[in-house]
Amino acid sequence: MSESKQIEKEAIESLIHLNLCGQIVVSFEKALEASFVQLAVVHGLGANIFLKVKREKIVGISEEHIDLWKRNYFQISLQFQQKLKVFLEIQELFKQNNIPIVALKGIALAISLYDDEGVRPMGDIDILVPEGKAMEALKLLKNAGAIQAYTPRSVIHEKAHSHVRAVNYNGVLVEIHQRLFALGNRFYVDTNACFDNTKSIMYQMKNILVLNDLYMAYHLICHLAYNVKNEGLRLGWLLDIALLLNKQNNLLDFVQEVLSFKSALRKEILDVIKMASLFLCVEKQKCILKDNDEEQYTHLVEKYVKLRENKVMYKITNVKEIFSVPGWSNKLQLLWYELFPSKEYMCEWNGNRKECLLKLHIKRLLNVRR
């Protein structure tokens, strides 16, 4: 193995070690390069390491490097407060219009899973509404001043997608989900079942609905399983899953419940669970990993981390997924708009410059821009 590859592997292993669920009982003796410290921030782990270093008295890390993670922690804390304020405004607006919402991903994880909301970075606000209510919810936000972030490929795409078009509301990007996974997605689950499997978290004197541990685990694990081969991996996503696993009194039973959602996809789901289990303490890790699994799944994590770092970000149209959408009319429309998106989409694609629509479609199909 070359020296550069060895360093990359050691950096990933060090990040995992510094974020183990539970107490780190050994000193971190090796000198840390500035690039490693920044890598922790990029992977959403810097703020978490800062708190662990302080709480567990880990030695071997310079104050200069700890300060970078400390700044990251305070930055995330401020961003969380901003996003929480916006989320609570949306929750109240929707409540007044009889639309219940469930917090997904960032906010849900920060308030229900992490000891401190300042350690879990988040980008946009993700919320789930009952299926059939997404467009009504979107209209409410737009009437309240939200600005559309992008144009969907077509109306039928928006109806089939997991979420409707994103909007900017009070400076924050908001995605309204109508289901956890798109219609036709192999990980799809019924939205009504999601609302039947929630729990209420009291936070800052407000009740916030989040998915229960089982549904949250299924969502996070399958979201990663679906995207990781195309988009790569951020280590913080594995830590989210590991913290959920770590909470369980009977870990093996919990894992089996997650796997039972989609027995045909057991291998894909289990691969993500095994990668996440690298963040567990040895005792719990042994419940999931077999004798030779640790090396295999560390290598898999390294592979997907490099995929993300090299910006190999692409999405191949999944025709099989489209043909899993109910109704032949829906299938044919989705296929048509994959090739020839709506006029509004094409105008935005072309920077809103006036041009013949047919010419725009030809340029898009040939992947040519002016």
Side-chain angles (χ1 to χ4, degrees), residues 9-108:
K9 184 174 185 292
E10 286 183 358
I12 292 168
E13 290 176 342
S14 296
L15 282 176
I16 292 173
H17 174 70
L18 281 169
N19 286 276
L20 288 177
C21 299
Q23 189 173 21
I24 301 171
V25 295
V26 298
S27 299
F28 200 76
E29 299 288 354
K30 65 185 297 183
L32 294 176
E33 298 292 334
S35 58
F36 171 84
V37 179
Q38 185 58 43
L39 186 66
V41 174
V42 169
H43 279 273
L45 300 172
N48 191 56
I49 297 174
F50 163 69
L51 282 192
K52 290 183 80 70
V53 167
K54 289 300 184 183
R55 288 174 179 174
E56 300 176 23
K57 311 297 183 187
I58 300 170
V59 300
I61 305 176
S62 73
E63 285 298 322
E64 179 185 356
H65 292 154
I66 293 172
D67 281 345
L68 190 149
W69 291 330
K70 181 179 180 180
R71 290 195 298 273
N72 184 227
Y73 167 76
F74 285 114
Q75 180 185 36
I76 292 171
S77 298
L78 288 172
Q79 289 173 346
F80 172 81
Q81 292 303 324
Q82 177 200 14
K83 290 179 173 67
L84 178 67
K85 181 175 181 292
V86 172
F87 173 85
L88 292 176
E89 287 177 13
I90 294 171
Q91 180 173 262
E92 183 59 30
L93 175 64
F94 287 4
K95 181 180 178 181
Q96 291 171 5
N97 290 272
N98 299 313
I99 301 178
I101 68 172
V102 175
L104 299 176
K105 299 180 183 177
I107 284 181

Side-chain angles (χ1 to χ4, degrees), residues 11-240:
I12 292 168
E13 290 176 342
S14 296
L15 282 176
I16 292 173
H17 174 70
L18 281 169
N19 286 276
L20 288 177
C21 299
Q23 189 173 21
I24 301 171
V25 295
V26 298
S27 299
F28 200 76
E29 299 288 354
K30 65 185 297 183
L32 294 176
E33 298 292 334
S35 58
F36 171 84
V37 179
Q38 185 58 43
L39 186 66
V41 174
V42 169
H43 279 273
L45 300 172
N48 191 56
I49 297 174
F50 163 69
L51 282 192
K52 290 183 80 70
V53 167
K54 289 300 184 183
R55 288 174 179 174
E56 300 176 23
K57 311 297 183 187
I58 300 170
V59 300
I61 305 176
S62 73
E63 285 298 322
E64 179 185 356
H65 292 154
I66 293 172
D67 281 345
L68 190 149
W69 291 330
K70 181 179 180 180
R71 290 195 298 273
N72 184 227
Y73 167 76
F74 285 114
Q75 180 185 36
I76 292 171
S77 298
L78 288 172
Q79 289 173 346
F80 172 81
Q81 292 303 324
Q82 177 200 14
K83 290 179 173 67
L84 178 67
K85 181 175 181 292
V86 172
F87 173 85
L88 292 176
E89 287 177 13
I90 294 171
Q91 180 173 262
E92 183 59 30
L93 175 64
F94 287 4
K95 181 180 178 181
Q96 291 171 5
N97 290 272
N98 299 313
I99 301 178
I101 68 172
V102 175
L104 299 176
K105 299 180 183 177
I107 284 181
L109 293 165
I111 67 173
S112 68
L113 198 58
Y114 286 83
D115 294 335
D116 188 312
E117 67 271 10
V119 304
R120 209 300 178 171
M122 66 185 77
D124 54 5
I125 291 176
D126 294 276
I127 59 176
L128 178 69
V129 301
E131 200 154 350
K133 290 286 187 178
M135 296 308 295
E136 181 184 344
L138 178 63
K139 184 177 179 181
L140 282 172
L141 275 189
K142 293 176 82 171
N143 288 342
I147 300 170
Q148 182 172 308
Y150 64 85
T151 301
R153 193 180 300 263
S154 71
V155 171
I156 190 69
H157 275 82
E158 191 164 37
K159 288 180 179 178
H161 203 348
S162 61
H163 59 80
V164 296
R165 67 195 73 184
V167 294
N168 283 296
Y169 182 67
N170 290 344
V172 179
L173 191 69
V174 180
E175 285 190 347
I176 302 171
H177 291 250
Q178 51 200 344
R179 52 188 74 92
L180 294 186
F181 298 96
L183 288 177
N185 187 295
R186 59 188 184 276
F187 294 108
Y188 171 83
V189 289
D190 181 66
T191 307
N192 290 333
C194 297
F195 274 86
D196 291 338
N197 286 277
T198 60
K199 60 183 180 181
S200 181
I201 304 290
M202 177 64 73
Y203 195 85
Q204 294 188 5
M205 306 299 292
K206 298 288 185 180
N207 282 307
I208 299 175
L209 275 183
V210 302
L211 296 172
N212 65 21
D213 285 359
L214 182 60
Y215 269 71
M216 185 181 287
Y218 178 78
H219 184 213
L220 296 176
I221 291 165
C222 295
H223 188 270
L224 188 51
Y226 181 69
N227 289 293
V228 70
K229 292 178 182 178
N230 288 335
E231 299 182 3
L233 172 67
R234 192 173 83 170
L235 291 172
W237 299 334
L238 291 180
L239 179 60
D240 294 338

